[in-house]
Amino acid sequence: MKNKPVIAIDCDDVIISTAPNIIDYYNLTYGTNIELKDYYSNDEQIWGADRNTFMTRVYTYLSTPEYQSLKPFQDALATIRELSNSYELHVVTARPDSLADITKKMLNEHFPDTFKSIIFTNHFSDKNISKADVCSQLNASYLIDDHLHHAQIAAASGVSVLLFGDYPWNQSTTLPDLITRVNDWQQVRDILLN
Ligand SMILES: [Mg+2]
């Protein structure tokens, strides 16, 4: 039997809404005024704390029952299930190993027996591995990701990228040929399942 083509799929803000929820919680809890455009900023003034402290706060929030009870994007559920018939699917997330258990629990609850592996690239630490390297190890044909940085490095290594969503951190006037912008899972479906 011929192997299915491989797709690497990002988790945060692709499968499930993350940044908007973190920002709402963070502003409410710590009295800050962070906006969506500031989400990837390292400015300690904006976060009202040093980097270690604000990263710990963010990871603590992702571990709460409040965040854990959130559902993936509605159209991700059906489309990912459908994709799994024709593709080998892996989740490749920038999250750290410390969030592995809760992340796997969330994904397995909503997508049972769907992903062949769930890989943590520890992007925000010195254990960081690049998503381009992970795509190459997986022999991935596609990466679905919302961040321009991951999209660009993966495309530079020959992976076709679906740049997901309309977010402040993925705006660009020009994109390489291998990067296609998609607004939602319906557009992912149109491209990968037609
Ligand atoms: Mg993401």
Side-chain angles (χ1 to χ4, degrees):
M1 200 180 91
K2 200 166 164 288
N3 287 342
K4 293 175 180 174
V6 173
I7 307 177
I9 307 176
D10 179 33
C11 178
D12 292 307
D13 298 306
V14 171
I15 291 177
I16 186 165
S17 177
T18 304
N21 293 298
I22 287 173
I23 289 170
D24 286 351
Y25 163 85
Y26 198 103
N27 284 338
L28 209 63
T29 308
Y30 302 106
T32 45
N33 291 298
I34 303 161
E35 298 173 39
L36 203 56
K37 68 174 173 56
D38 304 321
Y39 182 62
Y40 283 96
S41 165
N42 282 324
D43 189 332
E44 298 185 352
Q45 299 279 77
I46 287 174
W47 290 90
D50 63 59
R51 186 177 155 80
N52 273 344
T53 304
F54 75 69
M55 293 299 283
T56 302
R57 288 171 173 177
V58 166
Y59 292 154
T60 302
Y61 167 67
L62 292 178
S63 309
T64 58
E66 179 190 345
Y67 182 77
Q68 289 292 302
S69 67
L70 296 179
K71 304 263 184 295
F73 290 125
Q74 186 56 40
D75 56 354
L77 290 165
T79 303
I80 288 174
R81 203 169 299 129
E82 221 179 325
L83 284 172
S84 69
N85 295 323
S86 310
Y87 294 92
E88 180 182 305
L89 305 181
H90 298 259
V91 171
V92 181
T93 171
R95 288 185 181 197
D97 291 332
S98 60
L99 293 179
D101 286 352
I102 56 134
T103 306
K104 288 178 180 170
K105 182 168 170 282
M106 185 271 286
L107 290 168
N108 289 330
E109 182 186 335
H110 297 289
F111 303 93
D113 303 320
T114 306
F115 300 114
K116 190 156 184 204
S117 73
I118 299 171
I119 297 163
F120 298 82
T121 70
N122 292 279
H123 184 68
F124 303 98
S125 81
D126 46 17
K127 284 167 69 186
N128 170 36
I129 45 171
S130 91
K131 289 199 181 184
D133 288 347
V134 175
C135 285
S136 129
Q137 283 158 22
L138 294 172
N139 202 17
S141 302
Y142 296 94
L143 169 69
I144 305 173
D145 205 292
D146 64 299
H147 205 292
L148 195 57
H149 167 74
H150 301 308
Q152 283 171 329
I153 58 167
S157 70
V159 179
S160 295
V161 180
L162 302 187
L163 183 58
F164 190 93
D166 181 13
Y167 296 112
W169 51 85
N170 68 20
Q171 303 302 312
S172 173
T173 46
T174 57
L175 289 173
D177 287 346
L178 282 177
I179 302 182
T180 306
R181 193 176 281 283
V182 291
N183 291 322
D184 53 32
W185 280 95
Q186 187 56 47
Q187 288 188 2
V188 173
R189 191 188 178 288
D190 291 345
I191 291 171
L192 296 177
L193 291 173
N194 58 17

